[in-house]
Amino acid sequence: MNKLKILTLLMAGLPTAAHGVNDDFSDDGLWDLSPEELGQIRVTSIASGTPTPLDKAAAITTVITANDIEAMAATDLDEVLETVPGLHVTRSQLAYAPRYVIRGIASANNPQTLVLINGIPVTNLALGNRGNVWAGMPLKSIAKIEVIRGPGSALYGADAFAGVINIQTKGPEDIDNLKVGVGYGSFDTKSSWFQFGSNEGPVKFAASVEYETTDGHQGKIGEDAQTLNDQNTGTSASNAPGPVNTMRDSVEARFEVGYDDITVRLGYQGRYNIGTGPGLIEAIDNNGRFASNRYNFDITHQADEIIEDFSVVTQLSYYQDSQEVEENVQLFPPGTLLAGTFPDGFIGNPGYKEEIVRLNFNSLYKGFDAHLVRIGVGASWGDVYEVTESKNFNPDFTPKPGGITSVDDTDEVWLPEKDRTSYFVYLQDEWKFAQDWQLISGVRYDYYSDFGDTTNPRLSLIWAATDDLTAKLLYGRAFRAPSIEELFVTSNPVTLGNQDLSPEIIDSYELGIAYQVNKQILLSANIFHYEIKDFINFVDIGNNRRQAQNIGTRSGQGGELELSYEVNDQIMLVSNYAYQKSTDKRTEEDVGSAPNHQLYARVQFDTQKNVLFSAEVNWVGEQSRAANDDRDPTPSYTTIDLKYTQQNLLQGMDLILTLRNLSDKDVREPSPAGTITPTAIPGDYPMVGRSLLAEIEYSF
């Protein structure tokens, strides 16, 4: 097989997002491998833009393939991400939105982790995260997940702070027939999906649609924010004890078409009937329902060798997001007594729409001996518009005489309508200065119209000590841009913005080693240390209000260990352990709300008789509280998950059974110190108990 065909295999399924272009520059031994051996290598391009074996990547990176996902007892993206060392998935009080906490770095909205879909950010301008009506992501359309643990702003700009998650959806190279499926499981969960594609001929395309509806797990909350309010006012309005509300309906649709050197993608994520979790201000809300509609479009043109040794990728993308209220959101339940009586509940219905347009040019020059030079420039324009709110209370929390009233386009609306323009330029050099050594250096400059500019460098020194042992020393700086909410909110009943905010800055240092012990065993380990300046959080300023402020510095250190052991042709063991400690430098105390220890292990059996079975154990250590929270740490917990797949139960039909939390462990994730009371939900947030999902999939 010639180099061009091998390169095609390497690039198949790699995201365009890492600013990479197809190239045949490599001296790392890839060309010496057979196609069979090549298929066993985990290749990533997220770390530098160049397809690279995972052990030699210029960052601490995890790659999860569609085959890995099929072996896992996971039913949603969040459950897959929990298997990544150093990454913990916990919950926000805002509609129970997932928080992806990497190495202990997170705040209430979790904007410090950048999530990409096919290389394009799904960052929400208003809040800085994925939006509070994210509601997870199904798995059938996912081809690969790449995760950088550590900063990535030198390539990806804002919000690539604690880490980067790139979700690559299935394209024509992944879907070559018609596949349909249905599922049913606990909590009245029903799902169905459809996939079809063609990789033949000049026009290649793929389409995927997934639908799910569920009542949610309805774990019990014993006390909430209204419980204490009842005690203080003599009312009995609280819905606690009662269930957390995690119902949802979701639609995921993806379409991709490629012709020659042009690729076009369309996507839609619809979320409906979304419950408010423990309530938006941690008072159980049995009534409120949210919806969200996300649309994305991108077109990519790849021009190889437009002049000798020079290639360019041009990408134009459009992203639109919304938050809509389907049923009145009861911040406090009917009968509550605040600065007046609210027989119908204390109601606030916040909504908005936003859109972002991006244009990027990413070039690769291979004309220098032993160098790959990348230059990128780009611009984006984003707009938060159609901000809406209806509510039945005044700014001083007294009842509005007319009941629920629209305050759109007034000073009382919860979020001002704002736009943001940004520009960037970056330069990166990959220099193989000796047979076994490579130095990757880069710097990126970003300018933002609403807070200023920032410059972020990186250095990665990689030493292939032997064919089996690789070591890497990494340095990176990253920043996190303040969100529109953090900068400009003036009329939210709970939080206030601050136009004097500076961006968060992190400097990170890492040492990693990968060792191929033999053909069956691969070990990798890393240690890290980081320093954070100007960390942003909402600080209590009295009168039940919190304001966004730069609260000083944090530091963190830890390490991660990974093992992959192919016992024989039928049995595989995958495991990892992670430790982190993140400290607030003002108090010298653990910042809390993340486990210091995590351990994960999966054993998978392939009987080679069309039966696949896997068992997983996930142990999460205790989680300390934040400085203003005097509760005991959240206890550690262990969950066991099982998955059974019977392939070709009938010709072309597979049966899949997934059992999660086998022992029905009462798993709790930490609730924050309350927004209205010091500990609004003292018993923490309940997670999913025992659940079973059965699926039937048919391939034509």
Side-chain angles (χ1 to χ4, degrees):
M1 180 175 287
N2 61 33
K3 290 185 179 181
L4 180 60
K5 291 183 179 178
I6 292 178
L7 178 64
T8 301
L9 282 177
L10 277 173
M11 293 303 295
L14 294 178
T16 60
H19 311 298
V21 296
N22 286 344
D23 64 80
D24 60 2
F25 178 95
S26 180
D27 293 317
D28 57 14
L30 290 176
W31 309 141
D32 299 329
L33 300 177
S34 69
E36 292 76 16
E37 292 172 318
L38 191 62
Q40 301 302 312
I41 295 178
R42 289 183 182 265
V43 178
T44 182
S45 62
I46 192 174
S48 65
T50 300
T52 308
L54 190 60
D55 63 330
K56 297 177 176 63
I60 305 301
T61 308
T62 297
V63 174
I64 300 170
T65 67
N67 288 337
D68 295 328
I69 294 173
E70 289 174 1
M72 293 176 181
T75 59
D76 184 88
L77 171 68
D78 298 343
E79 296 161 1
V80 174
L81 293 177
E82 183 66 19
T83 71
V84 176
L87 194 164
H88 180 55
V89 182
T90 184
R91 295 288 156 180
S92 164
Q93 73 267 31
L94 302 173
Y96 245 31
R99 299 194 302 135
Y100 304 138
V101 182
I102 297 178
R103 295 176 172 175
I105 303 172
S107 57
N109 286 339
N110 186 217
Q112 291 85 4
T113 298
L114 176 64
V115 176
L116 315 168
I117 296 181
N118 295 317
I120 298 172
V122 292
T123 302
N124 177 282
L125 277 179
L127 304 175
N129 55 11
R130 279 73 55 196
N132 290 329
V133 197
W134 171 247
M137 185 173 176
L139 300 173
K140 303 300 182 183
S141 64
I142 296 177
K144 181 187 289 187
I145 302 169
E146 295 179 291
V147 181
I148 290 177
R149 304 183 317 265
S153 286
L155 269 185
Y156 297 98
D159 310 322
F161 190 86
V164 182
I165 300 169
N166 183 58
I167 303 159
Q168 181 192 340
T169 59
K170 291 179 179 178
E173 66 277 6
D174 307 298
I175 304 173
D176 58 2
N177 57 6
L178 174 62
K179 183 179 290 187
V180 297
V182 294
Y184 182 77
S186 303
F187 321 122
D188 200 24
T189 300
K190 304 167 188 173
S191 61
S192 58
W193 62 93
F194 155 92
Q195 293 178 345
F196 181 65
S198 173
N199 200 28
E200 303 294 331
V203 179
K204 301 172 175 58
F205 69 92
S208 177
V209 178
E210 300 174 74
Y211 170 76
E212 182 182 79
T213 180
T214 180
D215 290 342
H217 64 83
Q218 300 180 349
K220 293 297 188 291
I221 290 175
E223 299 178 15
D224 65 357
Q226 181 61 36
T227 302
L228 182 58
N229 191 36
D230 286 345
Q231 295 171 0
N232 292 334
T233 61
T235 56
S236 57
S238 176
N239 290 315
V244 64
N245 295 306
T246 57
M247 69 285 291
R248 71 174 186 268
D249 300 333
S250 65
V251 175
E252 193 90 10
R254 303 284 169 186
F255 179 75
E256 179 178 327
V257 60
Y259 175 74
D260 196 16
D261 51 9
I262 296 177
T263 301
V264 177
R265 292 190 184 95
L266 299 171
Y268 171 69
Q269 293 178 298
R271 303 292 187 262
Y272 316 101
N273 193 37
I274 304 297
T276 57
L280 291 195
I281 54 176
E282 298 179 282
I284 296 175
D285 173 14
N286 294 323
N287 187 77
R289 298 290 185 274
F290 281 106
S292 174
N293 291 283
R294 297 185 183 89
Y295 304 89
N296 70 274
F297 163 82
D298 63 90
I299 180 168
T300 303
H301 177 257
Q302 183 164 301
D304 293 333
E305 300 286 336
I306 56 174
I307 59 175
E308 185 177 1
D309 296 323
F310 187 73
S311 304
V312 176
V313 172
T314 303
Q315 186 178 70
L316 175 67
S317 66
Y318 174 79
Y319 178 75
Q320 185 186 81
D321 183 18
S322 70
Q323 176 178 295
E324 303 160 25
V325 176
E326 293 185 317
E327 298 290 344
N328 286 335
V329 176
Q330 295 174 344
L331 303 177
F332 284 102
T336 190
L337 179 64
L338 296 171
T341 303
F342 292 87
D344 297 322
F346 189 76
I347 295 171
N349 298 320
Y352 65 88
K353 292 182 179 179
E354 66 175 42
E355 58 186 355
I356 306 174
V357 179
R358 295 181 174 90
L359 177 63
N360 299 330
F361 299 91
N362 304 296
S363 65
L364 173 68
Y365 181 67
K366 300 177 290 184
F368 299 122
D369 185 34
H371 288 266
L372 282 177
V373 178
R374 297 182 183 277
I375 301 174
V377 296
S380 69
W381 174 81
D383 186 23
V384 178
Y385 66 102
E386 288 189 23
V387 175
T388 61
E389 185 178 15
S390 59
K391 54 187 178 182
N392 65 351
F393 59 91
N394 294 309
D396 60 358
F397 294 175
T398 58
K400 282 188 175 295
I404 299 175
T405 304
S406 171
V407 294
D408 301 357
D409 300 318
T410 73
D411 291 340
E412 287 189 42
V413 73
W414 74 283
L415 181 74
E417 297 182 358
K418 294 285 184 179
D419 60 55
R420 167 179 282 178
T421 303
S422 66
Y423 308 91
F424 77 84
V425 58
Y426 77 85
L427 173 67
Q428 177 181 278
D429 175 47
E430 299 176 54
W431 177 27
K432 190 165 187 180
F433 61 89
Q435 179 63 32
D436 302 322
W437 291 85
Q438 187 176 29
L439 178 66
I440 298 172
S441 56
V443 63
R444 172 164 163 155
Y445 171 81
D446 288 81
Y447 171 79
Y448 280 75
S449 59
D450 51 7
F451 77 85
D453 58 0
T454 179
T455 301
N456 297 275
R458 72 178 301 188
L459 285 172
S460 302
L461 180 63
I462 300 169
W463 177 35
T466 69
D467 290 341
D468 302 320
L469 179 64
T470 301
K472 59 182 77 172
L473 182 63
L474 312 173
Y475 163 74
R477 169 171 286 192
F479 78 105
R480 205 270 294 179
S483 69
I484 300 298
E485 178 192 39
E486 290 168 331
L487 286 169
F488 300 115
V489 163
T490 58
S491 297
N492 189 298
V494 178
T495 58
L496 290 174
N498 180 358
Q499 297 186 41
D500 294 326
L501 289 177
S502 299
E504 296 176 345
I505 301 293
I506 184 172
D507 288 288
S508 179
Y509 308 85
E510 303 170 84
L511 173 64
I513 297 174
Y515 179 39
Q516 187 77 51
V517 180
N518 52 42
K519 290 184 178 180
Q520 287 77 39
I521 300 176
L522 174 63
L523 284 170
S524 63
N526 67 82
I527 57 175
F528 61 85
H529 174 81
Y530 60 77
E531 296 283 341
I532 298 175
K533 300 176 183 177
D534 293 324
F535 193 80
I536 299 172
N537 212 342
F538 284 95
V539 176
D540 187 1
I541 58 173
N543 296 321
N544 293 325
R545 304 294 292 275
R546 291 185 173 187
Q547 184 182 47
Q549 295 181 10
N550 294 112
I551 61 171
T553 60
R554 293 184 173 185
S555 66
Q557 54 276 325
E560 294 137 4
L561 178 66
E562 299 177 77
L563 166 67
S564 175
Y565 178 26
E566 187 176 351
V567 180
N568 53 42
D569 291 341
Q570 297 177 317
I571 302 175
M572 169 72 81
L573 169 66
V574 177
S575 64
N576 61 66
Y577 165 77
Y579 166 78
Q580 69 80 26
K581 183 174 178 60
S582 183
T583 303
D584 187 328
K585 299 298 286 291
R586 299 172 306 165
T587 63
E588 295 300 327
E589 294 183 2
D590 194 313
V591 299
S593 300
N596 296 118
H597 302 270
Q598 293 173 262
L599 180 64
Y600 168 81
R602 180 176 78 249
V603 180
Q604 54 194 65
F605 303 86
D606 181 355
T607 67
Q608 299 183 344
K609 294 182 179 180
N610 295 328
V611 174
L612 303 174
F613 176 78
S614 67
E616 300 179 11
V617 177
N618 189 42
W619 176 76
V620 176
E622 70 174 25
Q623 302 180 57
S624 300
R625 304 292 183 176
N628 61 337
D629 192 335
D630 59 3
R631 289 174 293 171
D632 291 335
T634 305
S636 62
Y637 61 83
T638 302
T639 56
I640 300 172
D641 307 319
L642 306 175
K643 186 171 186 177
Y644 173 87
T645 302
Q646 174 68 63
Q647 298 175 323
N648 284 317
L649 181 65
L650 299 174
Q651 183 63 37
M653 180 182 291
D654 297 343
L655 171 66
I656 306 162
L657 299 175
T658 305
L659 177 62
R660 293 191 60 81
N661 197 355
L662 172 66
S663 61
D664 201 23
K665 178 73 174 178
D666 182 17
V667 174
R668 299 274 164 164
E669 284 294 322
S671 61
T675 336
I676 300 299
T677 64
T679 52
I681 299 181
D684 291 314
Y685 294 157
M687 299 294 106
V688 182
R690 184 188 298 119
S691 63
L692 176 66
L693 177 65
E695 299 172 298
I696 294 176
E697 186 172 78
Y698 191 85
S699 299
F700 293 87

